[in-house]
Amino acid sequence: MTTLTAWRFPTPDGADHVEETLLSLQKQGLLQVHDAAVVTWPEGRERPRTKQLNNLAAAGALSGAFWGLLFGLIFFVPLLGAAVGALGGALGGSLADVGIDDDFIAGVRGEVKPGTSALFLLTSDAVVDRVHEALPEGAAELIRSNLSQQDEAKLREVFAA
């Protein structure tokens, strides 16, 4: 099963530093990254900077348009006015089919603020405890996923340990 997760880092560059670790985990067969994107939001900036991590993505990865739509709904729609907000709501509704609903969007919007960063991963076949061991302690906090409540609780439990 493919899983979309959003991870928050306590520093603006924290998510950028994980790319090499993810590449290593993927080479070891401990994680299959289908696509990934990073949001960095330094203090004092009005909006975050976003980028797709193309060197991690498998063949057939999501397009930049997907990430653009998702990040637009999360970070920019409230700033663009009601007309664009209504359009975003309509488009956002179609994302619910892949596990991205209003709760996912609102949750990420509430957690990723200036001074932090986030990593968005579309993965499968993760060996969760080995992935956890590879990340620096306290480096990442799971903020949202499209997993069931029970599976997300298990994932949170591993990363909280």
Side-chain angles (χ1 to χ4, degrees):
M1 177 175 105
T2 302
T3 303
L4 174 66
T5 53
W7 301 87
R8 186 179 66 83
F9 294 79
T11 63
D13 60 350
D16 278 332
H17 296 305
V18 177
E19 186 173 3
E20 200 170 301
T21 302
L22 292 172
L23 274 170
S24 174
L25 290 167
Q26 187 164 251
K27 286 178 185 173
Q28 295 173 53
L30 299 173
L31 177 73
Q32 178 61 47
V33 178
H34 300 286
D35 212 341
V38 167
V39 173
T40 57
W41 201 340
E43 287 286 348
R45 290 213 34 193
E46 195 173 314
R47 292 190 179 120
R49 181 179 54 94
T50 61
K51 72 175 182 177
Q52 189 171 0
L53 301 179
N54 293 320
N55 58 339
L56 282 174
L62 297 174
S63 71
F66 170 82
W67 294 115
L69 172 63
L70 179 61
F71 294 149
L73 288 170
I74 294 172
F75 299 111
F76 305 121
V77 169
L79 305 173
L80 298 177
V84 175
L87 175 61
L91 292 172
S94 66
L95 292 175
D97 294 338
V98 291
I100 303 171
D101 57 13
D102 290 341
D103 289 339
F104 186 101
I105 291 166
V108 172
R109 184 182 296 142
E111 294 285 337
V112 182
K113 301 288 184 190
T116 67
S117 58
L119 173 67
F120 293 79
L121 288 171
L122 191 62
T123 62
S124 61
D125 305 323
V127 180
V128 176
D129 56 339
R130 295 285 302 276
V131 172
H132 178 253
E133 290 170 5
L135 294 174
E137 190 170 331
E141 174 191 358
L142 177 66
I143 53 176
R144 289 289 169 201
S145 79
N146 66 346
L147 294 168
S148 69
Q149 287 183 342
Q150 182 179 9
D151 289 341
E152 185 171 319
K154 288 178 189 174
L155 184 60
R156 287 182 188 281
E157 187 176 305
V158 169
F159 276 83

